[in-house]
């Protein structure tokens, strides 16, 4: 069994960073835990920034992971407004913006992502990642105001929905033939296209031409980039995120990575995957903490995410690439937007499932995905057949 580290330093005060501190204490680690966070705010969850908070329905406080006193009560040295500028692996120290150094026994990288930028001549495009970004975007909403959204991914669509609910005129431009095409494919992408058109969004698909679009503000949602500069400069293996093994350890056994930046060797999926979603940032830290404390731990949860737009709520579990998908089977009513979609491979095994406005599905479907159950597509499509009976 590995030795318990003398101290743990966590870089990045987002959900994954805060949850790592929590998991270490929950597992009884008694050594020093330091959480170095570039933002000036207590670690918070980002999903509300494009949903309840952006719509003015939820208070920001609801998004905070732990109140201030939690850190003192759990003896976590939370340093806000503190950017780590370098990792010195030989000395086992990190360097801060002011030149001071902090020693570590084990280092956990949880530096997350940042929005990809897009240069739009004549405009000062907004992006959405932080609390302040959400406030700036919210200030552009209202009757008579015009918002141009560039990008039909989750962020672009959720901001479009929030803006429409505030009465804003919204034009959304997406280069692909459907929104969310890369994640959901054409059939399910169309569900979201129809949803937004019905709610009055001027949706322009298959085009990146922004000329002639009148707007008071522009929101760019064209994806994020993992913040891997520190890891790269320190010589860790980086390729679309920081490469980690099944227990979230990097190519340096004393350095771990969790959340958006971790390109993880997933034991169930049998491939590397980097997931830019809330549930990964929430759950990976427990596995990392266990491994840090010498347990034989692997992170094996399937990817999961959710979205809310207007009156549509959805969850997605699993991982279906377009290359692996042979067909999509639907159980329920797509026109009413009450259904479950399943992505199947060429052996009729479920790769992923998305439930739209029907609930309690992921827990039922997860075992079918993990066990690689060969299903009968007709039974799967039949809402009266229990999930336990859909096997061939
Ligand atoms: C608006 C929005 C809505 C979202 N909605 C959903 C959703 O509905 N469902 C879903 O599943 N996922 C959603 N996500 C994705 C989810 O929020 C992310 O996957 C999650 O935030 C990742 O957490 P993280 O801790 O890995 O990274 P982050 O949340 O990015 O946190 C990383 C932190 O590290 C800090 N940092 C970076 N570099 C340094 C450094 N050198 N020194 C110190 N600190 C540093 C950053 O400032 C940041 O605070 C949404 C994301 C956004 C932005």
């Amino acid at each position: 069994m590995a030795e318990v580290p003398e101290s743990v330093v966590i870089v990045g005060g987002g959900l994954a960073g805060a949850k790592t501190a929590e998991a270490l204490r929950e597992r009884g680690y008694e050594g020093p835990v330091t959480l170095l966070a570039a933002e000036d705010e207590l670690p918070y969850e980002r999903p509300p920034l494009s949903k309840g908070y952006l719509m003015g329905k939820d208070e920001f406080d609801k998004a905070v992971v732990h109140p201030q006193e939690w850190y003192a009560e759990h003896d976590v040295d939370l340093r806000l407004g503190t950017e780590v500028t370098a990792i010195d692996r030989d000395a086992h120290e990190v360097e801060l913006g002011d030149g001071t150094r902090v020693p570590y026994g084990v280092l956990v990288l949880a530096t997350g992502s940042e929005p990809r930028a897009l240069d739009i001549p004549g405009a000062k495009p907004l992006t959405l990642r932080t609390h302040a970004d959400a406030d700036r975007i919210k200030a552009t909403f209202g009757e008579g105001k015009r918002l141009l959204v560039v990008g039909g991914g989750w962020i672009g669509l959720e901001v479009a929905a929030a803006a429409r609910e505030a009465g804003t005129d919204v034009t959304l431009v997406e280069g692909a033939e459907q929104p969310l095409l890369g994640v959901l494919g054409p059939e399910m992408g169309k569900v979201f296209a129809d949803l937004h058109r019905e709610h009055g969004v001027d949706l322009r698909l298959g085009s990146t031409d922004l000329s002639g679009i009148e707007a008071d503000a522009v929101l760019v949602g064209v994806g994020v980039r993992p913040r891997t500069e520190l890891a790269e400069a320190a010589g860790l293996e980086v390729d679309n995120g920081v490469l980690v093994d099944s227990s979230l350890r990097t190519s340096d056994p004393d350095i771990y990575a969790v959340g958006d930046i971790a390109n993880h060797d997933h034991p169930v999926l049998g491939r590397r995957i980097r997931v830019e979603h809330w549930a990964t940032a929430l759950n990976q830290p427990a596995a990392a903490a266990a491994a840090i404390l010498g347990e034989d731990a692997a992170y094996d949860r399937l990817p999961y995410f959710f979205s809310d737009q207007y009156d549509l709520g959805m969850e997605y579990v699993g991982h279906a690439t377009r290359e692996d998908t042979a067909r999509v089977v639907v159980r329920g009513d797509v026109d009413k937007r009450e259904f479950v979609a399943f992505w199947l491979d060429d052996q009729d095994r479920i790769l992923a499932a998305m439930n739209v406005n029907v609930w309690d599905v992921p827990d039922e479907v997860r075992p079918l995905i993990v066990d690689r159950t060969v299903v009968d597509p007709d039974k799967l499509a039949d809402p009266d057949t229990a999930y336990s009976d859909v096997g061939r």
Side-chain angles (χ1 to χ4, degrees):
M1 188 161 135
E3 268 176 47
V4 169
E6 257 177 52
S7 63
V8 180
V9 170
I10 304 160
V11 186
L15 180 60
K19 282 283 162 186
T20 303
E22 180 187 318
L24 286 164
R25 290 301 184 227
E26 264 186 3
R27 287 181 177 269
Y29 179 60
E30 290 178 349
V33 174
T34 306
L35 179 48
L36 304 170
E39 288 183 68
D40 284 324
E41 299 191 74
L42 290 173
Y44 57 91
E45 303 192 11
R46 299 184 198 275
L49 299 182
S50 52
K51 306 180 188 66
Y53 180 71
L54 194 60
M55 288 188 278
K57 291 182 182 166
D58 294 330
E59 297 291 321
F60 178 73
D61 286 357
K62 275 181 68 181
V64 168
V65 182
H66 293 300
Q68 179 86 54
E69 54 279 16
W70 182 92
Y71 295 91
E73 282 163 15
H74 292 80
D75 199 14
V76 172
D77 181 8
L78 170 63
R79 303 196 203 166
L80 299 176
T82 302
E83 179 148 13
V84 172
T85 51
I87 303 167
D88 183 339
R89 287 166 59 192
D90 292 335
H92 268 61
E93 290 176 344
V94 293
E95 189 170 311
L96 309 184
D98 64 4
T100 56
R101 288 178 157 242
V102 180
Y104 66 82
V106 158
L107 184 67
V108 181
L109 300 176
T111 48
S113 311
E114 64 188 5
R116 289 183 196 279
L118 197 65
D119 197 20
I120 301 176
K124 280 196 191 143
L126 301 169
T127 54
L128 176 51
R129 189 75 195 171
T130 65
H131 182 191
D133 293 340
D135 287 341
R136 271 190 287 272
I137 293 164
K138 197 167 17 172
T140 71
F141 289 177
E143 299 279 351
K145 296 192 179 167
R146 298 160 306 175
L147 176 69
L148 167 61
V149 177
V150 181
W154 297 111
I155 296 290
L157 294 178
E158 290 182 1
V159 171
R164 285 298 300 135
E165 299 220 343
T168 321
D169 287 340
V170 178
T171 303
L172 191 152
V173 174
E174 162 60 50
E177 297 303 322
Q178 296 293 350
L180 300 167
L181 187 72
V183 204
L184 300 183
E187 303 98 319
M188 291 300 132
K190 183 173 178 301
V191 172
F192 288 84
D194 293 347
L195 174 75
H196 280 268
R197 287 201 166 116
E198 281 172 31
H199 284 85
V201 173
D202 177 359
L203 187 63
R204 305 190 186 181
L205 300 172
S207 159
T208 50
D209 184 10
L210 307 180
S211 59
I213 300 175
E214 302 278 336
D216 303 304
V218 182
L219 179 274
V220 169
V222 292
V224 295
R225 188 189 72 74
R227 297 179 68 170
T228 53
E229 301 85 343
L230 281 178
E232 244 168 292
L236 298 176
E237 283 179 24
V238 172
D239 181 9
N240 176 31
V242 180
L243 298 189
V244 291
D245 66 12
S246 60
S247 39
L248 302 155
R249 197 180 280 114
T250 68
S251 50
D252 178 330
D254 292 331
I255 306 182
Y256 290 71
V258 288
D260 273 18
I261 60 157
N263 184 343
H264 171 231
D265 191 358
H266 198 291
V268 173
L269 298 174
R271 65 171 66 185
R272 284 201 165 275
I273 181 168
R274 190 174 66 77
V275 179
E276 296 160 353
H277 288 300
W278 170 89
T280 304
L282 182 77
N283 294 314
Q284 277 186 343
I292 290 168
L293 300 180
E295 292 169 38
D296 191 11
Y299 181 73
D300 59 5
R301 290 178 79 104
L302 291 176
Y304 164 90
F305 63 87
F306 60 92
S307 179
D308 295 312
Q309 298 165 35
Y310 313 103
D311 51 358
L312 181 153
M314 61 74 71
E315 297 173 286
Y316 177 108
V317 66
H319 178 64
T321 62
R322 291 193 73 190
E323 301 77 62
D324 292 343
T325 302
R327 60 167 141 171
V328 178
V329 169
V330 172
R331 166 191 280 239
D333 189 333
V334 174
D335 292 338
K336 277 173 70 184
R337 289 196 279 264
E338 281 180 18
F339 66 92
V340 187
F342 299 91
W343 284 261
L344 303 188
D345 70 7
D346 57 4
Q347 313 279 314
D348 287 338
R349 295 176 301 207
I350 304 173
L351 299 168
M354 172 175 76
N355 49 303
V356 172
N357 289 345
V358 292
W359 303 108
D360 304 323
V361 175
D363 285 349
E364 300 246 40
V365 174
R366 249 184 221 107
L368 299 172
I369 302 176
V370 170
D371 297 342
R372 297 167 65 79
T373 306
V374 176
V375 299
D376 176 334
D378 292 333
K379 289 184 190 166
L380 189 63
D382 173 14
D384 294 328
T385 304
Y387 285 111
S388 50
D389 295 334
V390 297
R392 196 184 281 159

